[in-house]
């Protein structure tokens, strides 16, 4: 059902980076290494699928959708660095700082972050007002009251200080913020009314939070008998409560979709796929 859109996204991501013999060609090689590694492409898929539900040409959203995947990739590259999560593997390959080196990984993250805004500014078929609005949403969702806020709390949180409210804040920012950006992108491109836009935003908030809770559950399964190595929904609430929470958030996301007066089956399908996912 989603193969065609994912292939469109992957094709564009392959072509979106500059090709040629630039003095800084190592930067583009490193960006390509991370960006074009096998990711699920959920955030750009959410942009295109929301546009489909809103009955708007999905091609109009392709470049903004890819910009979101660049932000997601930058966040992984920086999160994997020794000064943050210090990971050796990502998406089945060596992390960027292991495959290349640390300073290039920092700069590649910086590059993907800045380039994502350039992509939106140059996107075809959108008017200036739409572009400003897309940039506003993207800077808010990926900034100090979005993705970066979530990461700061994630890196500083101690198990003894972790209550539900703090976990919710962390997950809404480090994960749900980019899901919200995705549906907001589609709402801006389709120029829908505020009332419907608000409902879709609520859908994305619950979907993104559920996605993170499911991620924590899947991580706990991998770690299995080991002591919980990080502070997350599973280590704080326990696996059974985490599963109940994922189900509750998913039902809330589905409820929002039923409130919009459109045929929203593809979005319901994504919601179900994410709840049942194994990776
Ligand atoms: C460095 C500002 C900054 C933020 C880092 C991305 C991140 C925040 C931390 C990495 C670890 C983590 C648990 C992120 C939360 C979001 C999440 C569950 C990401 C996994 O996303 P998927 O499953 O990954 O969509 P793929 O590889 O499929 O794209």
């Amino acid at each position: 059902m989603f193969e065609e859109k994912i292939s469109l996204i992957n094709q564009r991501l392959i072509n979106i980076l500059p090709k040629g013999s630039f003095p800084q060609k190592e930067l583009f090689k490193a960006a390509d290494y991370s960006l074009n590694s096998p990711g699920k492409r959920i955030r750009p898929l959410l942009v295109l699928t929301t546009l489909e539900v809103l009955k708007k040409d999905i091609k109009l959203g392709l470049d903004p959708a890819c910009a979101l995947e660049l932000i997601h990739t930058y966040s992984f590259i920086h999160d994997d660095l020794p000064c943050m999560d210090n990971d050796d593997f990502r998406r089945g390959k060596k992390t960027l700082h292991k495959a290349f080196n640390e300073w290039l990984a920092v700069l590649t993250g910086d590059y993907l972050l800045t380039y994502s805004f350039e992509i939106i500014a140059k996107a075809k078929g959108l008017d200036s007002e739409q572009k400003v609005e897309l940039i506003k949403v993207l800077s808010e969702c990926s900034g100090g009251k979005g993705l970066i806020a979530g990461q700061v709390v994630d890196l500083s949180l101690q198990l003894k200080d972790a209550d539900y409210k703090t976990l919710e804040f962390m997950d809404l920012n480090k994960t749900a913020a980019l899901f919200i950006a995705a549906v907001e992108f589609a709402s801006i491109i389709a120029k829908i009314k505020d009332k419907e836009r608000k409902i879709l935003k609520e859908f994305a908030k619950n979907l993104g939070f559920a996605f993170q809770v499911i991620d924590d559950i899947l991580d706990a399964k991998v770690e299995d008998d080991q002591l919980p190595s990080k502070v997350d929904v599973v280590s704080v609430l326990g696996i059974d409560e985490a599963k109940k929470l994922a189900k509750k958030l998913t039902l809330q996301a589905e409820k929002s979709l039923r409130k919009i007066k459109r045929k929203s089956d593809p979005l319901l399908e994504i919601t179900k796929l994410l709840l049942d996912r194994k990776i």
Side-chain angles (χ1 to χ4, degrees):
M1 186 175 196
F2 299 112
E3 288 84 0
E4 239 171 78
K5 291 190 190 72
I6 290 179
S7 137
L8 203 63
I9 292 161
N10 281 332
Q11 272 313 311
R12 183 65 186 120
L13 287 174
I14 288 170
N15 294 317
I16 212 159
L17 298 173
K19 307 269 179 302
S21 57
F22 304 95
Q24 74 281 32
K25 59 179 183 304
E26 203 59 9
L27 172 69
F28 302 132
K29 200 173 143 196
D32 182 64
Y33 176 90
S34 288
L35 188 62
N36 291 308
S37 56
K40 295 188 285 297
R41 313 305 192 200
I42 289 159
R43 296 148 193 85
L45 178 66
L46 201 51
V47 179
L48 301 194
T49 308
T50 309
L51 278 171
E52 182 190 356
V53 166
L54 297 176
K55 299 249 174 308
K56 194 81 189 170
D57 179 4
I58 64 166
K59 294 229 169 78
L60 281 175
L62 186 56
D63 274 16
C66 289
L68 210 50
E69 187 68 15
L70 263 71
I71 296 269
H72 172 56
T73 306
Y74 124 73
S75 77
F76 270 158
I77 295 171
H78 281 190
D79 181 63
D80 291 335
L81 288 168
C83 62
M84 295 207 199
D85 236 21
N86 194 18
D87 279 314
D88 293 348
F89 292 95
R90 168 73 63 189
R91 292 173 165 171
K93 298 196 322 192
K94 278 188 186 167
T95 46
L96 191 62
H97 65 276
K98 288 279 172 190
F100 289 74
N101 64 60
E102 206 173 321
W103 63 258
L104 190 60
V106 172
L107 290 172
T108 305
D110 295 341
Y111 164 62
L112 290 171
L113 169 62
T114 46
Y115 187 38
S116 67
F117 290 92
E118 184 181 332
I119 291 169
I120 293 177
K122 291 178 177 168
K124 301 248 176 348
L126 304 174
D127 58 45
S128 304
E129 214 175 302
Q130 284 174 308
K131 290 180 187 179
V132 170
E133 188 74 1
L134 289 171
I135 288 171
K136 178 172 172 274
V137 164
L138 189 60
S139 49
E140 282 172 358
C141 290
S142 58
K145 289 187 177 173
L147 183 64
I148 298 175
Q151 179 73 347
V152 168
V153 172
D154 189 336
L155 293 176
S156 39
L157 191 62
Q158 309 279 322
L159 195 55
K160 65 177 172 51
D161 306 320
D163 53 22
Y164 179 78
K165 275 277 151 223
T166 313
L167 288 170
E168 183 187 42
F169 177 89
M170 178 172 87
D171 292 353
L172 287 179
N173 285 287
K174 85 170 178 184
T175 310
L178 291 190
F179 281 66
I180 292 172
V183 299
E184 283 276 89
F185 275 18
S187 300
I188 293 163
I189 293 165
K191 297 190 178 180
I192 60 167
K193 298 238 162 62
D194 282 354
K195 191 176 164 205
E196 196 173 25
R197 186 167 162 180
K198 235 171 116 180
I199 299 173
L200 279 172
K201 212 172 153 181
E202 189 62 22
F203 155 72
K205 183 178 148 189
N206 286 312
L207 182 71
F209 190 6
F211 184 81
Q212 183 58 58
V213 175
I214 294 159
D215 205 66
D216 294 346
I217 294 169
L218 293 172
D219 269 2
K221 283 191 182 142
V222 172
E223 284 168 15
D224 224 1
D225 296 329
Q226 295 167 25
L227 286 172
S229 56
K230 57 188 172 105
V231 186
D232 64 16
V233 168
V234 175
S235 63
V236 175
L237 303 182
I239 194 92
D240 292 339
E241 284 305 309
K243 282 181 185 166
K244 274 190 218 158
L245 180 60
K247 185 80 194 150
K248 186 179 111 187
L249 294 166
T250 303
L251 288 174
Q252 277 170 4
E254 288 169 355
K255 198 169 154 198
S256 296
L257 286 181
R258 280 192 291 272
K259 280 193 208 155
I260 59 166
K261 292 179 181 48
R262 303 196 188 241
K263 221 174 150 294
S264 54
D265 298 12
L267 287 176
L268 278 167
E269 187 64 23
I270 289 192
T271 309
K272 194 176 141 22
L273 279 177
L274 294 190
L275 180 71
D276 295 338
R277 78 196 164 97
K278 302 284 173 270
I279 52 164

